[in-house]
Amino acid sequence: MAQQYFAQIYVTLRPSVLDPQGTAVQSGLQHLGYNNVEQVRIGKYIEVTLTAESLETAQQQLDHMCDQLLANPVIENYRFELQALSTPMNMSS
Amino acid sequence: MAQQYFAQIYVTLRPSVLDPQGTAVQSGLQHLGYNNVEQVRIGKYIEVTLTAESLETAQQQLDHMCDQLLANPVIENYRFELQALSTPMNMSS
């Protein structure tokens, strides 16, 4: 039975990789007077809605999507949270 | 006593705002064979390390940072999670 899932994916630069965008934002914050900001790092937050037969299938597909397209494994890490949406697909028909 | 805080900020487009980047990623995923992906929306994930006198001060400052620089309140929503880092600042000296 196909079920709808909602995934929240967080893609972040690996700690060893420089983050010029984060440095620029930190500098911007300091210009606004926030001198107590010590570090800023910027990543991506991706929400994906998908249908799958099971939670495990959805997890495996999301892993592949992240490796293939959503993240660059050479310089980025990713993690995701996955939850089933309340209504199974065949109950809406 | 100044304390170090770590904030995780999520900036997302308001639901009524079109997300062409998300649509492009969804199309890319479908080209890779993931036809079960129904929606993709892309936001920003920002990690900020800052020092502040209290959790409340840190919260207020982060609200202002988001309103002023990190998010565009006209088209974006934001939320953040804030936690104190374990070591108070004056214990490291």
Side-chain angles (χ1 to χ4, degrees):
Chain A
M1 188 172 70
Q3 158 90 41
Q4 216 171 12
Y5 293 94
F6 179 68
Q8 296 173 292
I9 306 169
Y10 310 91
V11 179
T12 49
L13 284 172
R14 288 179 185 272
S16 59
V17 176
L18 284 176
D19 180 6
Q21 193 186 2
T23 309
V25 168
Q26 183 181 357
S27 162
L29 288 171
Q30 284 171 349
H31 280 291
L32 289 173
Y34 300 105
N35 297 307
N36 56 334
V37 173
E38 292 175 6
Q39 192 180 39
V40 178
R41 285 185 77 84
I42 295 185
K44 280 177 286 183
Y45 167 67
I46 307 172
E47 292 176 344
V48 173
T49 311
L50 75 166
T51 51
E53 290 300 311
S54 69
L55 192 75
E56 290 68 34
T57 312
Q59 267 175 343
Q60 286 171 5
Q61 289 205 324
L62 282 164
D63 263 324
H64 290 145
M65 288 181 207
C66 288
D67 283 330
Q68 286 183 53
L69 186 74
L70 303 179
N72 177 349
V74 178
I75 57 167
E76 290 171 328
N77 291 322
Y78 68 84
R79 65 189 164 84
F80 58 80
E81 291 155 18
L82 185 62
Q83 63 189 70
L85 293 178
S86 51
T87 329
M89 289 300 282
N90 60 351
M91 286 181 65
S92 61
S93 60
Chain B
M1 186 172 72
Q3 159 90 40
Q4 215 170 13
Y5 294 93
F6 178 68
Q8 296 173 292
I9 305 169
Y10 310 91
V11 180
T12 49
L13 283 173
R14 289 180 185 272
S16 58
V17 177
L18 284 177
D19 179 6
Q21 194 186 1
T23 309
V25 167
Q26 184 182 354
S27 162
L29 287 172
Q30 284 172 349
H31 280 291
L32 288 174
Y34 299 105
N35 296 308
N36 55 334
V37 173
E38 292 176 5
Q39 193 181 39
V40 177
R41 285 185 78 83
I42 295 187
K44 280 177 285 184
Y45 168 67
I46 307 171
E47 292 178 342
V48 172
T49 311
L50 74 168
T51 52
E53 289 302 310
S54 68
L55 193 73
E56 289 70 33
T57 313
Q59 265 174 343
Q60 286 170 6
Q61 289 205 324
L62 282 165
D63 263 325
H64 290 145
M65 288 179 206
C66 287
D67 283 329
Q68 286 182 53
L69 186 73
L70 303 180
N72 177 350
V74 178
I75 56 167
E76 289 172 329
N77 291 322
Y78 68 83
R79 64 190 166 84
F80 58 80
E81 291 156 17
L82 185 61
Q83 64 189 69
L85 293 179
S86 53
T87 329
M89 290 300 284
N90 60 350
M91 287 181 64
S92 61
S93 62

